[in-house]
Amino acid sequence: QIQHLLRHWLGSTGWWGPLLFVLIYGIGCLVLLPASIFTVLGSLVYGKIWAIPMNLMGATFGAAIAFLGSRYLFKDMAEYLVGDRLGAWNDKLSKNGVWVVMWLRLCFLPFPVVNLGAALTKITFKNYMTGTLLSMLLPLSYLTYMFGSVSELALQQQSLLGFLKQDFWIIIIGLAFYISLPRLFKRFAD
């Protein structure tokens, strides 16, 4: 029922619906709501395939505004509390910003922690966004597909046999890959 209400509401807005969804997803990230809520909603509303670009745009927008908001709202407070104690470590972070952000995202740290933490260092916005997008692409695509497949099964839009023939194995293989991403990344980074 919720799926039909959301589809109808966003569908009634025409081409504004996807933009509205991305804005809601982004603002949700900014106010520290779990991104997984919006990933599930995207999967329910747009299905397991079309939700992938919608969720990626929403999560990327949310990460961008959370980073910029944190950087400009809390930077002075962080400098006051931490002072120059980060010194050399902060310089290393700025030189390896893309890799640091990718590693933090792939270690399954909560989005708000990475957004705020990165914003309070010398990591550039460009490096932060590059690391964020690269590290979210596969996991978010996988989670969107998984949530979409399970919701189709639960809402009886797909038969159990159809689910077991295709989606179940994609989900299992994707889960194994998803869990191994931090180790694969560490090997690649070394």
Side-chain angles (χ1 to χ4, degrees), residues 1-13 21 24 40-42 44-46:
Q1 191 70 339
I2 291 173
Q3 179 187 25
H4 296 296
L5 288 172
L6 287 171
R7 278 187 179 172
H8 176 72
W9 180 64
L10 286 171
S12 68
T13 60
F21 175 77
I24 291 169
V40 170
L41 286 175
L44 285 171
V45 172
Y46 295 107

Side-chain angles (χ1 to χ4, degrees), residues 21-22 25 38-43 46 50-60 136 140 143-144:
F21 175 77
V22 169
Y25 197 129
F38 300 101
T39 303
V40 170
L41 286 175
S43 300
Y46 295 107
W50 287 108
I52 292 172
M54 300 305 302
N55 285 339
L56 282 169
M57 286 186 285
T60 303
M136 284 190 323
L140 193 61
L143 289 172
T144 300

Side-chain angles (χ1 to χ4, degrees), residues 22-35 37-38 58-59 61-67 69-70 73-74 111-113 115-116:
V22 169
L23 286 172
I24 291 169
Y25 197 129
I27 292 168
C29 291
L30 182 64
V31 298
L32 307 179
L33 291 173
I37 292 172
F38 300 101
F61 175 64
I65 61 175
F67 178 89
S70 297
L73 292 176
F74 302 120
F111 246 61
V113 171
N115 296 341
L116 179 63

